[in-house]
């Protein structure tokens, strides 16, 4: 059995695109940007490869890994404050890594 999208995201050696499905079962592919642990949750920054309405080519989306019915799922984060904090943390980690 192949890895789930969550397993792919958490596997730092994985560089494959992540395929997600919306509530209409429409497939979208994303490049992984970063995994950001924050406030005891794990946030994921994904950049759409597939064109998504309302998302610019150079924009990325923030998702959170949540447990729903004993299953880990990715949920898009709509709270601007959390999104800003996740990106702030990403830029901080990026600076540290690239000195």
């Amino acid at each position: 059995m192949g890895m789930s999208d969550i397993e792919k995201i958490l596997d730092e050696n994985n560089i494959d695109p992540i395929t997600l499905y919306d509530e209409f079962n429409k497939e979208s592919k994303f490049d992984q940007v970063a995994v950001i642990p924050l406030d005891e949750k794990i946030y994921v920054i994904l950049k759409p490869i597939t064109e998504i309405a309302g998302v610019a080519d150079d924009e990325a989306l923030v998702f959170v890994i949540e447990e729903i019915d004993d299953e880990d799922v990715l949920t898009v984060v709509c709270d601007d404050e959390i999104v800003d904090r996740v990106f702030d943390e990403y830029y901080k980690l990026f600076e540290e890594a690239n000195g």
Side-chain angles (χ1 to χ4, degrees), residues 15-19 27-32 46-52 55-57 59-61:
I15 53 168
D16 295 337
I18 301 298
T19 304
E27 178 182 292
S28 297
K29 290 195 181 299
F30 294 83
D31 273 332
Q32 297 182 65
L46 299 177
K47 186 176 185 317
I49 301 171
T50 312
E51 193 173 303
I52 297 176
V55 180
D57 287 346
E59 280 185 322
L61 299 173

Side-chain angles (χ1 to χ4, degrees), residues 9-11 32-37 42-45 65 90 93:
I9 287 167
L10 298 177
D11 176 0
Q32 297 182 65
V33 177
V35 174
I36 308 289
I42 298 175
Y43 293 93
V44 184
I45 301 174
I65 298 175
Y90 167 67
L93 293 170

Side-chain angles (χ1 to χ4, degrees), residues 8 14 26 31 33 38 47 56 58 60-61 81 84 88:
K8 285 183 192 175
N14 179 64
K26 182 174 179 289
D31 273 332
V33 177
L38 191 67
K47 186 176 185 317
D58 60 349
L61 299 173
E81 187 180 323
D84 289 345
D88 287 346

Side-chain angles (χ1 to χ4, degrees), residues 4-95:
S4 74
D5 286 324
I6 308 271
E7 289 169 325
K8 285 183 192 175
I9 287 167
L10 298 177
D11 176 0
E12 57 193 40
N13 299 315
N14 179 64
I15 53 168
D16 295 337
I18 301 298
T19 304
L20 300 178
Y21 297 89
D22 67 12
E23 63 271 26
F24 307 110
N25 220 22
K26 182 174 179 289
E27 178 182 292
S28 297
K29 290 195 181 299
F30 294 83
D31 273 332
Q32 297 182 65
V33 177
V35 174
I36 308 289
L38 191 67
D39 298 338
E40 298 180 13
K41 291 189 175 183
I42 298 175
Y43 293 93
V44 184
I45 301 174
L46 299 177
K47 186 176 185 317
I49 301 171
T50 312
E51 193 173 303
I52 297 176
V55 180
D57 287 346
D58 60 349
E59 280 185 322
L61 299 173
V62 175
F63 292 82
V64 64
I65 298 175
E66 293 185 308
E67 192 177 297
I68 297 175
D69 298 330
D70 291 331
E71 196 175 322
D72 286 340
V73 295
L74 279 175
T75 308
V76 72
V77 176
C78 298
D79 183 326
D80 288 342
E81 187 180 323
I82 293 173
V83 169
D84 289 345
R85 289 185 57 217
V86 170
F87 274 106
D88 287 346
E89 187 69 16
Y90 167 67
Y91 293 129
K92 194 168 82 184
L93 293 170
F94 186 82
E95 289 290 317

